[in-house]
Amino acid sequence: QTVVTQEPSFSVSPGGTVTLTCGLSSGSVSTSYYPSWYQQTPGQAPRTLIYSTNTRSSGVPDRFSGSILVNKAALTITGAQADDESDYYCVLYMGSGIVVFGGGTKLTVL
Amino acid sequence: EVQLLESGGGLVQPGGSLRLSCAASGFTFSSYAMSWVRQAPGKGLEWVSAVSGSGGGTYYADSVKGRFTISRDNSKNTLYLQMNSLRAEDTAVYYCAKGLGGFTTPRGFDYWGQGTLVTVSS
């Protein structure tokens, strides 16, 4: 079974830029997987950031952007702020109505 | 404003059943695929199941196939998840999530409910 991979953790300095990635245990991610990204803080419901590779959800600042980098989906955060400290999850569409979440990346801003 | 409100969670014994509901408002419910996503305590998000806007297509993660049934009542703008043969590993917060427009199957989610906790324990 194909696994969706994410970095378990990442850190960024305030004001800095960080790129989180979302890959496959076998194969390359393309726009056909409709990669999407979600932010979640402890005790809260997820918040949609990016869908269909690079479309920002309503109200999401343009500091957040999505792309395909080499063979992975990527979420880039520019000008990192303290309240960006969260868990970030990607989702890939596998076809036949099935979607799979990555294991999540815990982002620390320090 | 899109709103999704889950209900029906609670404590149930292993082997028992529970039905979750998600009341939707603020959008044309029948036009969108809907999903259930869960999160076990201290763990990541896991997609559980989805249903097309018409209700004619249903999709399940392998972990719940044969035990859970997703359905919807478009006249009531409500999504359901019937959970049977529950196991301790089904303990989680269950979220309903609205699918993106233009697709009969989920290609991602744009709105989420606040979740309802299901605890499977004796």
Side-chain angles (χ1 to χ4, degrees):
Chain A
Q1 185 174 353
T2 301
V3 174
V4 178
T5 61
Q6 295 185 249
E7 299 87 357
S9 62
F10 228 115
S11 64
V12 62
S13 300
T17 296
V18 63
T19 296
L20 312 181
T21 67
C22 176
L24 290 168
S25 57
S26 175
S28 299
V29 177
S30 68
T31 57
S32 299
Y33 285 86
Y34 295 87
S36 53
W37 293 89
Y38 306 87
Q39 178 190 49
Q40 188 184 37
T41 53
Q44 299 297 312
R47 171 198 182 198
T48 300
L49 296 176
I50 301 287
Y51 58 86
S52 296
T53 306
N54 56 13
T55 302
R56 268 186 297 277
S57 188
S58 176
V60 174
D62 59 9
R63 302 188 296 106
F64 294 89
S65 62
S67 64
I68 300 290
L69 283 182
V70 190
N71 59 351
K72 295 182 179 181
L75 173 70
T76 299
I77 308 172
T78 58
Q81 301 177 357
D83 61 4
D84 294 335
E85 188 161 293
S86 302
D87 294 324
Y88 292 84
Y89 296 91
C90 69
V91 164
L92 299 180
Y93 176 65
M94 298 302 190
S96 301
I98 305 298
V99 295
V100 178
F101 279 86
T105 297
K106 184 176 183 63
L107 181 67
T108 302
V109 180
L110 52 72
Chain B
E1 179 191 6
V2 171
Q3 292 193 344
L4 300 170
L5 184 60
E6 303 95 336
S7 61
L11 175 64
V12 61
Q13 292 188 338
S17 298
L18 209 57
R19 188 176 85 154
L20 306 183
S21 299
C22 172
S25 61
F27 64 102
T28 305
F29 183 67
S30 60
S31 294
Y32 295 89
M34 297 292 295
S35 283
W36 289 97
V37 175
R38 69 183 180 183
Q39 187 169 37
K43 302 297 185 182
L45 297 168
E46 178 189 17
W47 174 79
V48 172
S49 183
V51 60
S52 65
S54 67
T58 56
Y59 314 93
Y60 299 93
D62 287 343
S63 58
V64 305
K65 199 175 295 183
R67 300 188 299 123
F68 290 11
T69 301
I70 192 170
S71 62
R72 64 193 296 159
D73 185 336
N74 287 342
S75 68
K76 295 182 178 179
N77 289 353
T78 302
L79 174 72
Y80 303 102
L81 185 69
Q82 177 67 43
M83 304 185 294
N84 298 332
S85 303
L86 282 162
R87 307 166 180 165
E89 53 264 37
D90 295 318
T91 294
V93 174
Y94 285 73
Y95 297 99
C96 71
K98 175 181 169 291
L100 303 177
F103 303 106
T104 57
T105 55
R107 308 295 169 96
F109 318 105
D110 51 9
Y111 290 94
W112 298 74
Q114 285 302 303
T116 187
L117 176 63
V118 172
T119 303
V120 184
S121 174
S122 55

